[in-house]
Amino acid sequence: MSEEPDVIRCHVVAENAEALREFLRETQPDVGCRAVARDTQGGFGLDIYLPQEKIDPVRSARSAPLVNIIEIENVTENWRNLKEDIGGGDRFASRDAVPHGLGRKE
């Protein structure tokens, strides 16, 4: 089984809304569930999610000079780090296991 490429969260800022729309139309990145462009000091900003290997092609897109692309975090690496804290087994596997945790016990 091949491993999925790392996904990078980037923040894109354009001088105006039309420049941001043009960039999004051309590159078609993943903008998450609720894409909302926010008015910032530098213009209109939006978070996008890109596989690692697509960052360079997006930076060289025709509309890329209209925007500033800032890499924020490697979302996949953060998930891998968090996943290490999760146990591998089923804590209720045996029938006489007593539930534990923060939930209400019944």
Side-chain angles (χ1 to χ4, degrees):
M1 176 165 93
S2 67
E3 192 172 307
E4 293 290 321
D6 284 2
V7 174
I8 309 298
R9 180 171 65 102
C10 299
H11 189 67
V12 178
V13 179
E15 191 174 298
N16 56 50
E18 187 53 42
L20 184 59
R21 275 191 220 101
E22 178 61 31
F23 174 77
L24 295 175
R25 257 187 245 116
E26 181 182 355
T27 59
Q28 298 183 353
D30 183 348
V31 292
C33 295
R34 296 181 179 180
V36 177
R38 304 214 188 281
D39 193 6
T40 64
Q41 290 178 350
F44 288 91
L46 178 70
D47 284 351
I48 63 172
Y49 298 86
L50 295 168
Q52 181 75 50
E53 70 270 1
K54 292 199 176 188
I55 290 179
D56 287 336
V58 163
R59 286 185 191 276
S60 62
R62 188 172 37 92
S63 60
L66 302 173
V67 300
N68 183 17
I69 304 167
I70 305 158
E71 291 183 38
I72 303 294
E73 67 176 329
N74 183 329
V75 178
T76 307
E77 184 178 318
N78 290 348
W79 167 242
R80 281 189 206 114
N81 293 336
L82 290 172
K83 200 166 105 174
E84 289 176 6
D85 293 338
I86 300 171
D90 181 358
R91 64 183 177 167
F92 303 116
S94 75
R95 294 194 58 60
D96 35 327
V98 177
H100 58 279
L102 300 175
R104 185 176 61 172
K105 295 4 170 229
E106 293 182 13

